Amino acid sequence: MRVMQFDSYGGPEVLVAADVALPQPGPGQVRIRAEAISVGYAQTQMRRDVFPAPMWRPVFPVVLGGDVVGRITGVGDDVTGVCVGDRVGAFTLYGAYAEEVVVDAATLVPVPESLDAAEAAVLPGTGLIAGGVLRTALLRKGDAVLVHAAAGGIGHLAVQLAKAAGASLVVATAGSASKRDFALSLGADVAVDYTRADWAAEVRSATGGRGVDVVLESIGGDVVEQGLDLLAPGGRLVFFGSSAAELAVPTVPLMKLIGLRYVTGFALSAWRGGRPDEYREVLDELTSRLLDGRLRSSVHARLPLTAAARAHELVESRAHPGRVVLVPGLD
Ligand SMILES: NC(=O)c1ccc[n+]([C@@H]2O[C@H](COP(=O)([O-])OP(=O)(O)OC[C@H]3O[C@@H](n4cnc5c(N)ncnc54)[C@H](OP(=O)(O)O)[C@@H]3O)[C@@H](O)[C@H]2O)c1
């Protein structure tokens, strides 16, 4: 089968096609034939070797991971509840840029037949992260929420889910006018250019000077401390990524927490294992909202699997709103 892999770190061009043996599912695993593979920003960081979680450094040759939606083509021993032909999704750290991928059956999510594969490719990871960070932030009705990178894969879903959960004010940040317009079109109340030096003052002014109750932080650098300063008493900042890989992941200035501010982190795997009931609730909500159109999963580009390098160029250009998706059927 065809995979897109790399055996040295570098630019998008290191991603090249290779033919490898079909992987066989072991105990507790299934194999999925991919209909759609969503390309996240973190994978471009892994390819450049600037991913902020060094414990997940890959072993060459690397086939990157991501959200996959497709059909089960093989079932290993000790797997119950799914069978060959089922339409499912999985979020993998590695192995997804491929026609077929082996994943742990325990991480599978069901994908309704009526959903478009590229749009449904938010279900296994991207959407769960958006919903999971909002749950972790203990979002309450009436809260003011700051969503960074609000036109991004996770951000554009977080904007919609925050509004749906009753946020009274969603402030979206994004680096270009078209992305800010996109965030507003999804329900954000205010859109701010966080590349401007005075962006935090603009956010504070949008809250009438009070500050925000929740910050969804995935940028890193100075933006973290500025976000912390923006928290109203009782406010919560959830750290779940560090897209500004050129900057060090900041530490938490503890003195700032004395103002009754809370900081926590989020990783999908930790949340799925630690709060399984919440995980299932969010998955059900996402599925239902996608099915009846209350959640818009925006696909900026659908590219063949063999165009993985182009997909990385697009994601790194930061020009696109929504997601870039690989569709092996287009090859
Ligand atoms: N915790 C978890 O379980 C988990 C899992 C997957 C991903 N993540 C993290 O979630 C975050 C969002 O992922 P995504 O795939 O949805 O990405 P994305 O938001 O589609 O893309 C990242 C965005 O970050 C913004 N950004 C701001 N400063 C940047 C900088 N210095 N360099 C690059 N980008 C910058 C850019 O938007 P603007 O152009 O608008 O500035 C860029 O488009 C990433 O940090 C990722 O690592 C976390």
Side-chain angles (χ1 to χ4, degrees):
M1 68 158 187
R2 178 64 53 90
V3 300
M4 294 303 293
Q5 64 180 30
F6 61 99
D7 58 14
S8 65
Y9 296 113
E13 70 284 352
V14 299
L15 287 162
V16 292
D19 290 315
V20 301
L22 193 64
Q24 298 305 320
Q29 296 180 320
V30 301
R31 190 179 59 230
I32 303 170
R33 178 174 301 135
E35 294 173 41
I37 305 147
S38 191
V39 175
Y41 192 80
Q43 294 139 31
T44 67
Q45 295 180 316
M46 285 182 164
R47 195 209 65 234
R48 284 184 288 147
D49 196 22
V50 294
F51 189 57
M55 65 279 199
W56 288 328
R57 204 157 188 254
V59 176
F60 293 130
V62 187
V63 178
L64 287 166
D67 297 79
V68 182
V69 160
R71 284 191 194 281
I72 294 180
T73 56
V75 178
D77 291 341
D78 307 328
V79 175
T80 54
V82 290
C83 56
V84 169
D86 283 357
R87 198 167 192 234
V88 294
F91 185 68
T92 71
L93 194 53
Y94 298 112
Y97 287 29
E99 287 171 331
E100 306 216 15
V101 57
V102 166
V103 301
D104 284 343
T107 66
L108 290 177
V109 303
V111 175
E113 293 290 336
S114 61
L115 290 179
D116 170 76
E119 290 178 12
V122 294
L123 271 179
T126 306
L128 282 167
I129 295 162
V133 288
L134 288 167
R135 288 296 185 102
T136 304
L138 306 176
L139 178 68
R140 292 185 282 255
K141 279 196 173 55
D143 277 352
V145 181
L146 173 60
V147 181
H148 286 311
I154 295 170
H156 88 286
L157 302 171
V159 166
Q160 299 173 71
L161 293 173
K163 284 305 277 189
S168 60
L169 181 78
V170 172
V171 182
T173 63
S176 69
S178 61
K179 282 180 155 184
R180 290 190 290 280
D181 286 346
F182 174 65
L184 291 170
S185 77
L186 296 172
D189 300 286
V190 180
V192 170
D193 178 358
Y194 59 178
T195 65
R196 287 169 53 120
D198 62 347
W199 73 266
E202 215 179 313
V203 175
R204 186 170 290 284
S205 147
T207 66
R210 177 180 167 271
V212 296
D213 301 290
V214 167
V215 176
L216 303 189
E217 165 54 42
S218 62
I219 305 302
D222 292 346
V223 174
V224 179
E225 197 160 334
Q226 288 166 302
L228 207 47
D229 286 336
L230 279 169
L231 285 177
R236 291 86 63 199
L237 181 147
V238 183
F239 174 74
F240 66 100
S242 198
S243 293
E246 69 279 12
L247 305 173
V249 175
T251 51
V252 179
L254 288 178
M255 281 309 287
K256 299 219 180 222
L257 305 190
I258 283 176
L260 204 63
R261 299 177 171 116
Y262 299 82
V263 176
T264 188
F266 177 95
L268 180 60
S269 51
W271 180 60
R272 180 173 53 220
R275 299 198 175 155
D277 294 345
E278 209 172 82
Y279 171 88
R280 272 188 292 275
E281 269 174 39
V282 172
L283 177 60
D284 288 348
E285 185 192 349
L286 285 172
T287 309
S288 146
R289 286 183 177 276
L290 281 177
L291 278 169
D292 65 16
R294 284 173 298 150
L295 182 67
R296 183 171 152 206
S297 165
S298 172
V299 180
H300 170 72
R302 297 166 196 249
L303 299 170
L305 175 63
T306 47
R310 174 72 191 129
H312 274 219
E313 275 168 17
L314 275 175
V315 170
E316 280 177 277
S317 74
R318 295 168 62 175
H320 70 289
R323 289 170 310 114
V324 174
V325 178
L326 298 173
V327 179
L330 293 176
D331 281 286

